[in-house]
Amino acid sequence: METDLRLESSLWVGNKRYRGVLTGWHFNWTEVDKKNRDKKTISVPVSEVVGVEEGRVEILPQKSVEDTDKDFTVFYVKRSSSGGSYGLLWRLGRTQFSCPSRVLRDQWTQHLRTALKTHSPLRPHRLLVFVNPFGGKKKGRQIYHSLVAPLFELAGISSHVIVTDRANQARDHLLKKDLTGFDGVVCVGGDGMFSEILHGLIGRTQQEAGLCENDPTVTLQPCPLHIGIIPAGSTDCVCYATVGVIDPVTSALHIIIGDSQPLDVCSVHHAAALVRYSVSLVGYGFYGDVLAESEKHRWMGPLRYDYAGTVVYLSNRSYAGIVQYLPADPLLSSPRDKTRCLSGCRVCSKSTERLFPHSSDSGSLYSSHFSQFSSDSEEGEWVSVEGRFRCVSLTCMSSSCPKSPLGLSPSAHLADGTGDLILVWDTHPLGFLKFLYRHTSTQDQFDLPFVEVHRVKAVRFSLPAGKEEEAYEEIGGIDEEGRGYVETISRNGSQQQLAERGGGQEMANEQKTVTPFLCGLCCSKAPALSVWNCDGEILPFTDIICRIHGQLVRLYARGIEDRAAMHSCSEEKEKCERRCLSHK
């Protein structure tokens, strides 16, 4: 209880005297003047205390320790504005306290550490860390060892670190190696590295549960291990959409204090086989073309996406297709309700109760088999639309990023068991440009006559009659020995899956699957088919089935913190303190 007083005494910070109070949930220190009157109070939740060390200790940028008998240092989470981002930066706050005696110093350190164990039971103790040294600006190893590892050490977290040297190494490790004793898995890299971890953990969990991932109707088992993301890639969309900032220290602190954010996952199937899992974007048309075009200009680095976007826009393409979708319950939420999925989201919290009705606490969600979709996944009637589309997109989150702060679907939720289907019908180039431009501002990109958005639980996409043969010719399908093949081409080099492929046809088939999709501005005939962009991976076929699996994984995150609400709370706290002082 808050009134449960654990320890109180005078403490000194520099030359100023403070009254330190440790209650059940908070550690407060209040400056006291010469007349023993209270001044400013600093309050830190015990759950956000990172560590307690004897002596005068500094951790970042370099560790230094001055061993003194009467001093101790408390490290904690300290929030600050993040400039243009919507989230809050977390920094390592640090305060050095001096006590009248060593005995009192030892009492403070012991009580604080006991409080940490009592009120932060979900903190990780042992983590499996994968570092991608090639992603982004190739600083993954440096970011981990200089910024993250010292924080883990301070918090008493032991880490087994693997620096990857090939594609899918992390995924393969998670599928095959013993994971006993680990509380979570951390990836130091971008969205591609996260995808490897996602596929490895989901695949491992389904294997152990005896479930077939190739069955699009199967109810998948939620993963027991949490996933932590330390951003260090070319794109860090998942980190930005779940934390609100792209900052390694902020992400490391979320991992340390054991934050837990459930996340929906979309499974993508083709021809009765699992293709991929997605958490941010499954896009056909414009977004698929941009990714395919960018692959031809990897030498440009991140600028290739801007260049590819310009080329594809000027190509002025649209594609024929049939979209079928299973609508979600409109009474629960809507993609046009102007709400945002922030930390403590009520929609997601209610969805936890709906998806896991027999679970009494979050820890029990991952201890048994579930049937979250058996009761409501197939309710309702499928809706079918046919026509020509500029783009067809399905996202399980807002998919916000620094260039599009509100994302593809600003009111999408991280953990409500649904996705947002965005249909952009064929329109004139200026209309489509207006749609794209609104992603960079606060204007409603759905308030256009050629745009539809639907909250859904499942989606099917297929080609109209007469287009299937053309799709087969452009995309591949059968090698000389009559075996089917599926190829996934990575945006950042972290994923390449080749299944049942003739070795002698490798180069020819690769050219066949990549080159025809974008012929440049000089082509006399635009391609009849696009490709699917699945979280930055090209899917070389058109007909797919997508299904949303509610809260399939959990991240070390808490959602984007509402900066305005935090500021308002701080102001109310200051007013309350001033009222208290005026009555003394």
Side-chain angles (χ1 to χ4, degrees):
M1 295 176 61
E2 183 63 49
T3 57
D4 184 15
L5 183 65
R6 301 294 179 85
L7 187 61
E8 178 178 1
S9 76
S10 292
L11 298 171
W12 276 260
V13 178
N15 296 324
K16 296 181 179 180
R17 185 167 70 93
Y18 287 78
R19 186 178 73 256
V21 179
L22 175 62
T23 64
W25 296 96
H26 284 80
F27 173 41
N28 309 317
W29 57 99
T30 303
E31 186 179 350
V32 181
D33 63 15
K34 294 180 180 180
K35 296 183 179 180
N36 211 35
R37 293 177 299 189
D38 289 353
K39 298 175 72 175
K40 185 177 180 181
T41 297
I42 299 175
S43 179
V44 176
V46 170
S47 61
E48 295 185 2
V49 173
V50 177
V52 182
E53 296 289 323
E54 289 88 353
R56 299 172 180 265
V57 181
E58 179 67 83
I59 297 296
L60 297 177
Q62 290 184 337
K63 184 174 182 178
S64 63
V65 179
E66 183 182 347
D67 191 10
T68 53
D69 291 340
K70 302 178 181 180
D71 299 327
F72 68 97
T73 306
V74 177
F75 298 90
Y76 52 91
V77 172
K78 188 174 182 180
R79 292 168 174 81
S80 64
S81 175
S82 55
S85 299
Y86 276 81
L88 292 171
L89 285 171
W90 282 19
R91 289 290 173 255
L92 184 65
R94 167 180 162 271
T95 302
Q96 295 175 345
F97 297 96
S98 297
C99 300
S101 67
R102 178 168 183 168
V103 173
L104 184 59
R105 190 278 304 269
D106 292 342
Q107 280 186 304
W108 272 106
T109 56
Q110 180 181 352
H111 277 73
L112 283 167
R113 288 168 179 164
T114 301
L116 276 179
K117 293 180 180 179
T118 303
H119 300 296
S120 300
L122 298 180
R123 292 194 176 195
H125 301 287
R126 189 162 181 250
L127 295 172
L128 177 60
V129 181
F130 291 97
V131 180
N132 179 7
F134 308 110
K137 297 181 180 179
K138 301 182 179 180
K139 293 185 177 181
R141 201 192 309 247
Q142 176 186 343
I143 288 173
Y144 178 76
H145 289 293
S146 63
L147 297 177
V148 180
L151 296 178
F152 284 176
E153 181 182 358
L154 170 66
I157 297 175
S158 63
S159 303
H160 178 63
V161 182
I162 298 176
V163 179
T164 61
D165 54 17
R166 64 174 176 84
N168 290 325
Q169 181 178 348
R171 185 202 63 182
D172 295 343
H173 185 100
L174 294 172
L175 286 172
K176 301 174 183 177
K177 302 296 183 179
D178 184 15
L179 304 180
T180 303
F182 290 110
D183 300 307
V185 181
V186 175
C187 63
V188 184
D191 290 332
M193 191 65 173
F194 169 79
S195 181
E196 283 197 36
I197 303 297
L198 181 76
H199 284 78
L201 283 182
I202 295 178
R204 174 67 171 265
T205 304
Q206 308 325 307
Q207 286 179 11
E208 294 180 346
L211 299 175
C212 178
E213 295 178 271
N214 290 323
D215 182 358
T217 64
V218 73
T219 297
L220 298 180
Q221 176 92 348
C223 300
L225 296 181
H226 279 62
I227 302 176
I229 307 173
I230 303 296
S234 299
T235 60
D236 299 289
C237 174
V238 179
C239 180
Y240 191 92
T242 55
V243 178
V245 294
I246 298 176
D247 178 68
V249 172
T250 299
S251 295
L253 292 173
H254 278 289
I255 295 171
I256 288 171
I257 68 174
D259 272 341
S260 184
Q261 172 62 55
L263 192 64
D264 297 337
V265 177
C266 173
S267 62
V268 182
H269 288 78
H270 169 73
L274 173 70
V275 182
R276 293 193 63 80
Y277 293 109
S278 166
V279 296
S280 58
L281 171 68
V282 182
Y284 184 80
F286 179 78
Y287 295 110
D289 290 353
V290 168
L291 179 59
E293 177 70 18
S294 70
E295 282 298 301
K296 299 188 293 187
H297 307 282
R298 295 185 62 85
W299 57 272
M300 296 177 67
L303 287 177
R304 67 185 184 271
Y305 301 118
D306 294 331
Y307 172 79
T310 302
V311 170
V312 173
Y313 169 75
L314 294 176
S315 299
N316 192 30
R317 295 169 185 158
S318 64
Y319 301 95
I322 300 174
V323 181
Q324 297 171 292
Y325 60 91
L326 185 64
D329 188 348
L331 298 179
L332 298 177
S333 63
S334 166
R336 301 294 302 277
D337 59 15
K338 303 296 183 182
T339 62
R340 292 201 67 212
C341 185
L342 301 173
S343 180
C345 175
R346 293 181 182 179
V347 173
C348 294
S349 297
K350 291 181 179 179
S351 296
T352 301
E353 300 171 2
R354 176 173 54 87
L355 295 172
F356 308 103
H358 304 298
S359 301
S360 58
D361 57 77
S362 60
S364 66
L365 296 180
Y366 302 90
S367 59
S368 61
H369 293 276
F370 308 98
S371 58
Q372 68 260 42
F373 283 98
S374 61
S375 60
D376 68 343
S377 179
E378 300 303 327
E379 289 182 358
E381 295 183 0
W382 287 79
V383 178
S384 179
V385 294
E386 180 178 352
R388 294 193 67 83
F389 303 94
R390 284 299 185 111
C391 58
V392 176
S393 305
L394 177 65
T395 179
C396 292
M397 57 173 62
S398 67
S399 295
S400 56
C401 65
K403 290 187 177 181
S404 179
L406 296 180
L408 295 176
S409 186
S411 294
H413 289 274
L414 294 173
D416 66 343
T418 70
D420 284 357
L421 173 66
I422 305 166
L423 304 176
V424 182
W425 297 84
D426 192 14
T427 185
H428 56 85
L430 289 180
F432 187 57
L433 181 62
K434 181 185 292 187
F435 168 76
L436 295 176
Y437 175 76
R438 288 188 176 185
H439 287 78
T440 66
S441 66
T442 57
Q443 289 182 284
D444 185 1
Q445 62 260 43
F446 303 140
D447 189 22
L448 294 168
F450 53 89
V451 180
E452 295 181 20
V453 59
H454 307 278
R455 188 144 289 173
V456 301
K457 294 183 286 186
V459 174
R460 298 174 186 147
F461 184 90
S462 59
L463 294 174
K467 292 289 184 180
E468 291 86 349
E469 184 177 348
E470 185 176 358
Y472 210 53
E473 290 176 357
E474 289 198 16
I475 296 175
I478 298 179
D479 61 16
E480 291 182 345
E481 298 180 11
R483 297 179 300 180
Y485 67 83
V486 172
E487 177 175 338
T488 300
I489 304 168
S490 172
R491 171 178 58 186
N492 54 18
S494 64
Q495 299 277 347
Q496 275 196 328
Q497 300 179 19
L498 302 180
E500 306 239 349
R501 186 178 200 180
Q505 292 293 316
E506 182 170 346
M507 290 304 296
N509 285 339
E510 184 168 323
Q511 293 174 358
K512 191 175 184 181
T513 57
V514 178
T515 306
F517 296 128
L518 291 173
C519 306
L521 299 177
C522 60
C523 275
S524 58
K525 182 181 178 181
L529 301 175
S530 179
V531 290
W532 284 99
N533 176 345
C534 182
D535 285 2
E537 309 290 338
I538 295 177
L539 307 185
F541 36 72
T542 309
D543 294 5
I544 63 171
I545 301 174
C546 301
R547 181 182 173 192
I548 312 301
H549 300 265
Q551 304 188 12
L552 191 61
V553 297
R554 282 186 171 255
L555 305 185
Y556 285 119
R558 63 172 57 178
I560 299 176
E561 290 184 309
D562 189 346
R563 194 160 39 173
M566 297 289 291
H567 181 69
S568 175
C569 180
S570 178
E571 287 183 343
E572 286 296 322
K573 184 178 177 181
E574 290 180 2
K575 291 178 181 178
C576 180
E577 290 175 358
R578 285 197 293 268
R579 286 195 298 267
C580 292
L581 290 174
S582 64
H583 284 87
K584 288 187 177 181

